[in-house]
Amino acid sequence: MGNRETGITVLMLPWLGHGHISPFLELGKRFARKGLSIYLCSTPVNLRSVKQTLENNPFIKTVELHLPNLPDLPPHYHTTKGLPPNLLSTLNKAYDMAAPNFSNIVHNLKPDLLIYDFIQFWAPQVALSQNIPSVFFITTGAATSSYIIHKHVNPNTPFPFPAIYCKGYEKEKYEDCAKVNPYVKIIERIVSCARQSHEVILVKSCNEMEGKYNDYLSTLCEKTIIPVGPLVSEKVNGEEDDHFKIFEWLDKKDKASTVFVSFGSECFLSKEEMEEIACGLEISCVNFLWVVRSPFGEKCLGESLKELRERIGEKGKILDTWAPQGRILGHPSIGGFVSHCGWGSVMEAVTFGIPVIAIPMQYDQPLNARVVQEAGLGEEVKRGRNGRLQMGEIAKVVRKMVLDEDGDEVRRKTKYLSESIRDREDNKDFDMVVKELTKICNIS
């Protein structure tokens, strides 16, 4: 049992991807500052990097969850990072099979509360069997979650927010692409996780941006929705030292004169898409810092990018390694973010007040891009026939978001929202969250 200020011990179980572990960790850090004792549970391969960020935090401990050994799935593949796509279903199967191991963890720790993620519908069942309340934490936006649950609960009723609806979205992006095993679809798991949550659901979101979606999600789930903010990762010690040349280059640029270009850790651009983006950035005449990722390394980046490097000189910088996205977006020279609109990236842009040039690729990203545009925090790049990117459209939106007068309103809104969110994070908002969790745990 807990022995700190609140008397609450929380066990947190995120899915095995960085985009899930990171917000769980950041939520845990904020809870720890409010007096909760936190245990973060994941596979050993995922916890290795987490432990480095927790060296000076005695109130967050890690707990190893061991998955069974399955063919073609050695321990270093017990994570989505670097996982071959054909092994995702095997990883999901192994994760489900680890439920008994997780049950033993719950029995030994005897936490006051479990906070769980969207895949493991079995986790709240384990907690309930041991008389422990559990709460669902949604690491994607409220708009995406309400859309998914709406399609399950009200399949014959139009989604009530047509401005963000993407035709054919539910079939192409979820039913075909996001099955987690042959028997249970991801949508069914999300709905099950929402239904089992005890009284409240936590969402990585803010009412200033997603208020109406939070309200609709509350109606669908019949739970109180509690937005916990963007949960942007804090700086890791030595991070800037390891990337000194990046920040040295950014320091030479004028304020808000540069776009940062990144498509996250799981999106890989085709050769044609890279070439259109490269040409679009070049003809926009805006400084840019581009993190280019390929599953096969720099050899597959193409001659066009190598030629671009030679032509642009100091106007742009192309990286083929990981870069500290949050720290870059927080640099004064950054004035726009060319993004795939993964929810974590959207939340970082919102936190730092950076307009988004949206180029969504898959999963929830098209819907997130519509949310960004509807909120007036960026603009989606229009595609041509067959969904092809066009350099002229890319250049047009980049210039609008960073340089042109018709982007002034977007820049004003992003700055205002950023300041509002920072003020909220500095006040007593998390005291309210802790109070709600205390009620659930029946601890006074």
Side-chain angles (χ1 to χ4, degrees):
M1 296 290 288
N3 56 6
R4 296 185 66 212
E5 295 173 32
T6 65
I8 297 178
T9 295
V10 179
L11 176 61
M12 308 183 82
L13 183 66
W15 167 237
L16 301 176
H18 173 76
H20 293 258
I21 294 170
S22 178
F24 266 77
L25 178 60
E26 294 307 315
L27 182 63
K29 289 177 182 178
R30 285 157 177 77
F31 281 155
R33 289 199 288 265
K34 295 297 182 179
L36 283 70
S37 296
I38 305 297
Y39 288 89
L40 183 72
C41 182
S42 191
T43 55
V45 65
N46 277 323
L47 292 179
R48 283 185 202 132
S49 59
V50 170
K51 289 176 181 178
Q52 296 176 4
T53 71
L54 296 176
E55 291 178 352
N56 299 317
N57 194 328
F59 305 117
I60 303 181
K61 296 180 172 60
T62 58
V63 182
E64 293 185 351
L65 176 65
H66 293 278
L67 274 54
N69 292 321
L70 296 180
D72 301 321
L73 198 73
H76 67 271
Y77 279 158
H78 292 175
T79 175
T80 63
K81 184 177 181 181
L83 181 74
N86 64 299
L87 291 180
L88 180 58
S89 61
T90 307
L91 178 62
N92 290 320
K93 180 180 179 180
Y95 197 48
D96 286 349
M97 292 172 64
N101 293 343
F102 181 69
S103 182
N104 292 333
I105 290 171
V106 174
H107 176 76
N108 292 332
L109 282 180
K110 295 179 173 60
D112 300 299
L113 179 70
L114 167 68
I115 299 180
Y116 60 95
D117 210 337
F118 78 122
I119 288 288
Q120 52 272 39
F121 63 92
W122 41 263
Q125 296 170 7
V126 167
L128 182 62
S129 70
Q130 301 186 39
N131 297 315
I132 294 168
S134 57
V135 169
F136 183 26
F137 173 35
I138 298 175
T139 59
T140 54
T144 296
S145 301
S146 63
Y147 181 88
I148 293 170
I149 295 174
H150 170 92
K151 296 303 294 184
H152 183 86
V153 175
N154 304 310
N156 299 317
T157 304
F159 187 56
F161 304 105
I164 66 168
Y165 175 75
C166 305
K167 185 177 181 182
Y169 180 73
E170 67 278 4
K171 178 175 176 56
E172 180 183 351
K173 303 301 178 184
Y174 280 97
E175 293 182 5
D176 290 346
C177 300
K179 293 179 181 178
V180 294
N181 66 41
Y183 309 105
V184 184
K185 294 180 180 179
I186 192 172
I187 296 176
E188 294 167 354
R189 289 182 174 236
I190 293 171
V191 172
S192 177
C193 286
R195 286 174 172 166
Q196 293 183 78
S197 190
H198 193 96
E199 297 183 13
V200 306
I201 294 175
L202 307 179
V203 183
K204 181 181 174 179
S205 180
C206 54
N207 276 327
E208 293 93 336
M209 184 176 179
E210 286 202 300
K212 61 185 178 182
Y213 307 117
N214 283 317
D215 291 343
Y216 187 55
L217 184 60
S218 178
T219 299
L220 288 170
C221 299
E222 298 181 336
K223 314 277 184 183
T224 299
I225 302 300
I226 302 180
V228 293
L231 300 177
V232 170
S233 299
E234 298 167 351
K235 178 188 174 185
V236 178
N237 290 336
E239 191 176 78
E240 283 196 23
D241 296 335
D242 293 341
H243 299 86
F244 174 77
K245 290 183 179 180
I246 297 175
F247 293 99
E248 184 181 41
W249 183 83
L250 287 171
D251 288 342
K252 298 175 183 178
K253 304 305 176 186
D254 292 338
K255 182 178 180 180
S257 67
T258 305
V259 291
F260 178 55
V261 186
S262 176
F263 290 84
S265 60
E266 297 182 9
C267 287
F268 299 110
L269 301 170
S270 67
K271 180 176 181 292
E272 292 75 17
E273 287 170 332
M274 284 187 185
E275 290 177 349
E276 290 297 323
I277 291 171
C279 293
L281 291 171
E282 185 175 15
I283 64 177
S284 75
C285 298
V286 174
N287 303 323
F288 65 89
L289 173 63
W290 186 2
V291 178
V292 180
R293 297 187 71 254
S294 166
F296 307 106
E298 186 176 5
K299 291 181 180 179
C300 292
L301 296 187
E303 289 299 322
S304 61
L305 290 192
K306 295 176 183 178
E307 294 172 2
L308 177 63
R309 273 177 169 160
E310 296 174 0
R311 291 198 306 271
I312 58 177
E314 284 298 300
K315 190 74 175 176
K317 193 172 186 66
I318 300 174
L319 307 174
D320 49 32
T321 59
W322 180 86
Q325 179 166 294
R327 299 295 298 172
I328 290 171
L329 289 173
H331 194 279
S333 70
I334 299 298
F337 182 20
V338 179
S339 172
H340 63 313
C341 286
W343 192 244
S345 293
V346 169
M347 289 289 95
E348 286 184 323
V350 167
T351 297
F352 294 109
I354 306 299
V356 175
I357 297 96
I359 305 180
M361 308 297 291
Q362 59 187 358
Y363 305 134
D364 60 334
Q365 296 158 20
L367 196 147
N368 293 340
R370 302 286 178 88
V371 171
V372 167
Q373 183 161 301
E374 188 200 27
L377 304 174
E379 186 171 318
E380 182 176 355
V381 173
K382 294 180 181 178
R383 293 175 179 261
R385 287 184 179 180
N386 300 319
R388 296 176 66 88
L389 290 174
Q390 302 173 98
M391 65 180 78
E393 288 295 323
I394 295 169
K396 183 176 72 173
V397 180
V398 167
R399 287 191 58 84
K400 178 179 178 180
M401 293 298 101
V402 180
L403 297 178
D404 296 345
E405 288 185 7
D406 54 353
D408 286 348
E409 182 63 13
V410 173
R411 293 189 284 272
R412 184 194 67 78
K413 282 188 175 181
T414 54
K415 182 179 180 181
Y416 176 81
L417 180 54
S418 173
E419 292 172 350
S420 176
I421 288 172
R422 289 171 184 268
D423 288 343
R424 289 173 66 88
E425 286 195 338
D426 290 339
N427 66 20
K428 303 295 184 181
D429 274 9
F430 259 83
D431 288 342
M432 181 274 293
V433 180
V434 172
K435 184 177 179 180
E436 290 295 324
L437 298 184
T438 302
K439 291 179 185 178
I440 292 172
C441 297
N442 294 317
I443 296 176
S444 58

